[in-house]
Amino acid sequence: ELRAGEALSLTGANGSGKTSLLRAVAGFIRPDQGQITALDTQGLPLDLERLRSHHLHWLGHLEGLKSTRTARHELAFQTAFLGGHSDQMMRAVERLSLGALLDLECRKLSAGQRRRLSLARLVAVPRSLWLLDEPLAPLDEQWRRAVGDLIGEHLAGGGMVMAAVHDPLPHATRALDVGGSA
């Protein structure tokens, strides 16, 4: 169970099911057993398709960036696809210090730069539930702290975070060990 303002760290060995659980919540796969339920602010069931299309962000361990697009075009595409506007995109660019990277093709960005570009959609188009798969893996210490700040602000505003992690998030979370290795 995850409530507004809460973060949950999914822990466990490689292959234990952390990413699979995130993918099931995102609707990419169906769970073998159990069910996923979402409630609105009045405690009434929320349609899972509506949850997935309007209330959550998925950030996988692969960035999902088109390598031949510039960072500007990629972020503009993602922002528009998710229902955001150019002013929101530029706020995300500023927040994640992406200005100097905007005219570079995504394939020319470092792993940390690509991760920051992917994180920008979380800022550009706010959604209540963030599903994050190893969000800190390619980031240096400065950007790990900055992501911690983003998460803290998101939670303070009533957002929720579920993250598969090996490295602890730079914010207090509950932990769920999903089991041993496969």
Side-chain angles (χ1 to χ4, degrees):
E1 187 173 310
L2 191 61
R3 296 184 183 275
E6 292 183 344
L8 178 66
S9 292
L10 304 175
T11 62
N14 291 336
S16 62
K18 300 179 298 294
T19 298
S20 294
L21 179 54
L22 290 177
R23 290 176 56 77
V25 172
F28 300 144
I29 60 174
R30 290 191 176 153
D32 290 337
Q33 54 186 307
Q35 64 182 12
I36 297 165
T37 305
L39 304 177
D40 67 15
T41 55
Q42 287 80 38
L44 300 172
L46 183 65
D47 178 69
L48 288 178
E49 289 307 313
R50 176 108 179 122
L51 167 77
R52 292 168 176 147
S53 64
H54 290 83
H55 299 284
L56 73 75
H57 274 300
W58 163 263
L59 183 66
H61 66 278
L62 298 176
E63 308 302 341
L65 304 172
K66 186 165 181 159
S67 64
T68 57
R69 280 190 185 144
T70 65
R72 179 186 320 276
H73 288 120
E74 184 63 26
L75 185 54
F77 169 79
Q78 290 183 9
T79 300
F81 181 78
L82 294 168
H85 305 284
S86 60
D87 59 325
Q88 293 169 289
M89 181 186 108
M90 292 314 296
R91 183 173 53 104
V93 166
E94 289 176 27
R95 180 68 193 266
L96 290 150
S97 298
L98 297 169
L101 307 176
L102 290 178
D103 294 324
L104 295 175
E105 290 180 342
C106 292
R107 67 179 169 198
K108 295 182 179 179
L109 302 177
S110 72
Q113 291 169 332
R114 286 191 306 272
R115 178 52 51 127
R116 287 176 23 226
L117 181 60
S118 291
L119 287 163
R121 76 182 91 134
L122 306 179
V123 175
V125 185
R127 301 256 170 114
S128 57
L129 175 58
W130 293 357
L131 302 177
L132 310 174
D133 194 358
E134 292 294 340
L136 305 178
L139 298 175
D140 62 31
E141 189 59 35
Q142 169 196 348
W143 285 106
R144 285 173 179 240
R145 283 191 306 274
V147 169
D149 292 344
L150 285 174
I151 290 171
E153 291 167 18
H154 180 63
L155 296 173
M160 299 168 285
V161 173
M162 184 182 295
V165 298
H166 288 289
D167 300 319
L169 291 177
H171 195 280
T173 70
R174 285 186 300 123
L176 173 64
D177 185 349
V178 296
S181 63

